[in-house]
Amino acid sequence: MDKQLKKIMYVEDEPDIRDIAKLVLENVGGFEVLVVEGGEKALAEISRFQPDMVLLDAMMPEMDGPTTYGEIRKLDAFKDMPIAFLTAKLMEKDIAGFLDLGAVGVIAKPFDPMTLSEQVNELWQKA
């Protein structure tokens, strides 16, 4: 992808993980990051924020990651935007399911704060 990755929306229900990811992606990766605590909030904020990429937790209350993925894809402006899962659901069938949805990749939780930005950039390049 020729365009540089600048803006990331991270959808995560765990406050500690949200805080660490935001800190790392902004300070190590140099990204502008909006963290939201669930799928409903992501859908409410995505048009205003206009992210280049979305990172989704898979297991969240109310609206899980795959459902949120599907709802984002229904929005014309974001139907082709790269979306990756940042999740602890790492069984082979889970990962295959995320990729079958159309996700650009899966990053394992717990993630390494020192390599998270690099992993996100690799998925961006792949997209």
Side-chain angles (χ1 to χ4, degrees), residues 16 18 21-23 42 48 52 54 62 75-76 80 82 88-91 103 106 119:
D16 292 348
R18 278 198 310 266
K22 181 175 172 66
L23 185 76
R48 182 192 63 76
D52 299 315
V54 171
E62 294 162 41
L75 304 171
D76 280 347
D80 298 319
K89 270 189 101 165
L90 299 169
M91 300 281 291
V106 178
Q119 289 176 288

Side-chain angles (χ1 to χ4, degrees), residues 44-72:
E45 295 289 329
I46 195 165
S47 292
R48 182 192 63 76
F49 185 64
Q50 293 290 313
D52 299 315
M53 184 174 187
V54 171
L55 299 176
L56 282 176
D57 182 19
M59 297 177 289
M60 298 182 287
E62 294 162 41
M63 185 184 292
D64 68 4
T67 302
T68 304
Y69 179 100
E71 292 301 310
I72 290 171

Side-chain angles (χ1 to χ4, degrees), residues 15-30:
D16 292 348
I17 297 171
R18 278 198 310 266
D19 293 347
I20 293 167
K22 181 175 172 66
L23 185 76
V24 168
L25 291 169
E26 288 179 341
N27 295 323
V28 176

Side-chain angles (χ1 to χ4, degrees), residues 5 7-9 51-55 81-82 84 104 120 123-124:
L5 175 59
K7 294 173 77 174
I8 298 170
M9 176 183 274
D52 299 315
M53 184 174 187
V54 171
L55 299 176
M81 178 190 56
V104 294
V120 169
L123 293 178
W124 173 257

Side-chain angles (χ1 to χ4, degrees), residues 56-59 64-67 69 83-109:
L56 282 176
D57 182 19
M59 297 177 289
D64 68 4
T67 302
Y69 179 100
I83 300 175
F85 283 88
L86 184 54
T87 182
K89 270 189 101 165
L90 299 169
M91 300 281 291
E92 218 171 284
K93 68 177 178 44
D94 294 324
I95 293 171
F98 300 141
L99 298 176
D100 286 347
L101 279 175
V104 294
V106 178
I107 296 172
K109 276 197 317 196

